[in-house]
Amino acid sequence: MRLFVLLSHGLLEEQRREALEKLGVEDIVLLPPELQGLWSSIPPHLDSLKEFLKPIFQWLSKVEEGDFLLVQGDFGAVFLLVDYAFKKGLIPIYATTERIHREEREGSGVRMVKLFRHVRFRRYERWEGY
């Protein structure tokens, strides 16, 4: 079982450990550098993302049923990829975080520091109550 990663940043060590230990992932497949910029910089002016995301879908052509797809980013792109994952028999997941706010005094001012700590992966779900 593999984990394909679609994030605009790398995996945290806690995320890597959870994928291996709790999800039972044997291999983590990161987005190649040539596609990383594409995923991180989705143009806001496009009417549709289907054509723009073709290289991502081509990269995912090697997935197998039961593989995990960790996907977070542009809402429309995430929707398309999660929909794709469900249709291909993948397990789409996302990372949940805990937000920790801290104030630090700096001279006569106060700096607000926001830390995001990984809590767990959660599966995307389909609503079946219609």
Side-chain angles (χ1 to χ4, degrees), residues 14-33:
E14 301 88 42
Q15 293 172 321
R16 183 177 301 281
R17 190 170 35 255
E18 181 179 352
L20 297 171
E21 294 173 7
K22 292 186 179 173
L23 299 179
V25 166
E26 297 162 357
D27 188 24
I28 297 173
V29 184
L30 301 176
L31 196 58

Side-chain angles (χ1 to χ4, degrees), residues 3 15 64 70-71 79 83 86 123:
L3 170 64
Q15 293 172 321
E64 296 175 3
L70 172 58
V71 59
F79 178 83
D83 188 51
F86 280 126
R123 291 181 181 208

